[in-house]
Amino acid sequence: MKEYSAILIGCGTMGNRHRSRFEENGVRFSDVLDAGAMEILQQGNWKRPDFAVVASPASTHYEYTKFFLERKVPVMVEKPLAVTAAEARELVELSEKNDTLLFVAQSECFNPIFLNFRKHFLAELHSMNNAGSVRMEFRREHGYTDRCRDVDVSLDILVHDLSMFLTMFDYGDVQVIENNRVSPDRSTMTLKVCKGPFAGLMADFIADRNSPNDVRTISVKFNGSEYSVSLARYLPSGHIAHIPDSLDNEHKFFLKLLAGACKEWGIRSARAAAQIVELATR
């Protein structure tokens, strides 16, 4: 496997996780920048890497990602891609114009629990005559933390569930039925698949980052039946354990994209990341 060099922007929880996992895959970080990173970049005090990892606060994702894409440096940026739909679309367009990889880190899509659920759920849907009888619920809750306070709950944690939803259903087939921002820390949304083979399917989303519960579930109701899948593993204390498999799977796939594999999938993934921002900010 080729040895890649990278630059890391952001040394918080996710920045350190990305660095650790990439280094285990043989990636060497030539520069690790945190506060004041943009000033250093603009002064030219950095080595051109094979790719950049942007794990800074969400409100700065746009400026850092744009900086690298303009210089044709491939980018892996933490979710969300940007904080407005216009900025997200601009980054995707810049990526395509410069033929430069843009990948948004939405590791829940690579969670082996979700991948197994999706495989069986889609097979089940294809065997049904009426997807209109199906109602899904995505629930994501955890207690208050000081992390990610520069954006509201929709751009912080709702985007995880929207990203999984859009790996199963086409954005062009989906309509927003309800979007209720209860507070900066709690949001609910209902989407409906209005056309295509799964027309009629409904999906409710509940996101809360100031909750007494610690929950990450997908539930399905259809024809009087119901089941629920937990996307998390729990510690004896009841708290959710970090699943390294998700990040490992995501990193390995990113490195395949970087090597030139699955280019069309990479383009679709970047477009979906922009669509997720558009849904989350409506």
Side-chain angles (χ1 to χ4, degrees):
M1 179 182 292
K2 176 181 175 180
E3 291 188 2
Y4 289 104
S5 65
I7 182 170
L8 173 64
I9 308 296
C11 300
T13 299
M14 290 310 302
N16 286 326
R17 283 180 183 170
H18 284 304
R19 181 181 182 182
S20 174
R21 296 293 169 185
F22 270 127
E23 287 179 337
E24 289 179 8
N25 284 309
V27 175
R28 176 181 56 83
F29 283 85
S30 56
D31 289 283
V32 176
L33 305 176
D34 201 33
M38 183 53 75
E39 182 179 354
I40 294 171
L41 293 173
Q42 290 174 337
Q43 290 173 349
N45 298 326
W46 54 289
K47 297 176 183 178
R48 184 179 180 87
D50 292 312
F51 68 93
V53 178
V54 176
S56 54
S59 56
T60 66
H61 288 181
Y62 168 78
E63 62 175 332
Y64 286 120
T65 303
K66 183 178 180 180
F67 178 91
F68 289 115
L69 290 177
E70 286 178 333
R71 290 155 180 81
K72 298 187 177 182
V73 175
V75 182
M76 170 188 264
V77 56
E78 255 300 315
K79 57 78 187 169
L81 172 56
V83 297
T84 71
E87 289 178 346
R89 287 194 298 269
E90 180 186 345
L91 292 175
V92 172
E93 290 168 2
L94 180 58
S95 166
E96 295 181 13
K97 174 185 174 183
N98 286 352
D99 192 25
T100 302
L101 175 62
L102 170 61
F103 183 85
V104 180
Q106 296 174 139
S107 59
E108 200 75 278
C109 292
F110 295 86
N111 183 332
I113 301 173
F114 169 66
L115 293 175
N116 186 59
F117 162 82
R118 185 181 68 176
K119 174 184 176 181
H120 293 286
F121 175 63
L122 289 179
E124 192 172 49
L125 273 185
H126 280 292
S127 69
M128 297 175 61
N129 295 322
N130 179 21
S133 65
V134 178
R135 189 153 194 140
M136 306 179 72
E137 181 191 82
F138 293 77
R139 180 178 293 269
R140 186 171 298 262
E141 301 180 34
H142 63 68
Y144 180 90
T145 72
D146 290 331
R147 293 180 57 210
C148 305
R149 305 310 298 182
D150 59 328
V151 292
D152 72 10
V153 67
S154 296
L155 286 169
D156 180 15
I157 66 173
L158 177 61
V159 290
H160 282 298
D161 293 324
L162 292 174
S163 69
M164 290 186 289
F165 184 80
L166 288 187
T167 70
M168 296 184 282
F169 307 103
D170 187 354
Y171 172 79
D173 293 343
V174 173
Q175 179 181 349
V176 177
I177 302 301
E178 180 184 74
N179 189 4
N180 183 20
R181 290 180 176 82
V182 180
S183 74
D185 291 330
R186 182 173 174 83
S187 179
T188 63
M189 177 180 282
T190 300
L191 300 180
K192 182 177 182 179
V193 180
C194 294
K195 55 184 179 178
F198 307 123
L201 180 144
M202 302 284 288
D204 300 309
F205 298 80
I206 301 166
D208 192 330
R209 60 180 184 181
N210 189 15
S211 169
N213 304 310
D214 218 344
V215 179
R216 298 175 191 173
T217 58
I218 303 176
S219 301
V220 179
K221 295 180 181 179
F222 64 99
N223 296 332
S225 300
E226 180 177 357
Y227 63 91
S228 183
V229 175
S230 173
L231 299 174
R233 297 173 185 150
Y234 290 87
L235 300 169
S237 64
H239 293 104
I240 286 178
H242 173 62
I243 301 178
D245 296 358
S246 305
L247 214 56
D248 289 344
N249 291 341
E250 179 179 65
H251 283 189
K252 289 173 183 176
F253 192 76
F254 170 77
L255 292 174
K256 287 182 180 179
L257 292 174
L258 192 65
C262 308
K263 183 175 180 179
E264 288 303 314
W265 191 99
I267 293 171
R268 291 197 302 271
S269 175
R271 291 174 180 171
Q275 293 162 352
I276 290 160
V277 173
E278 184 167 346
L279 287 174
T281 55
R282 283 190 185 179

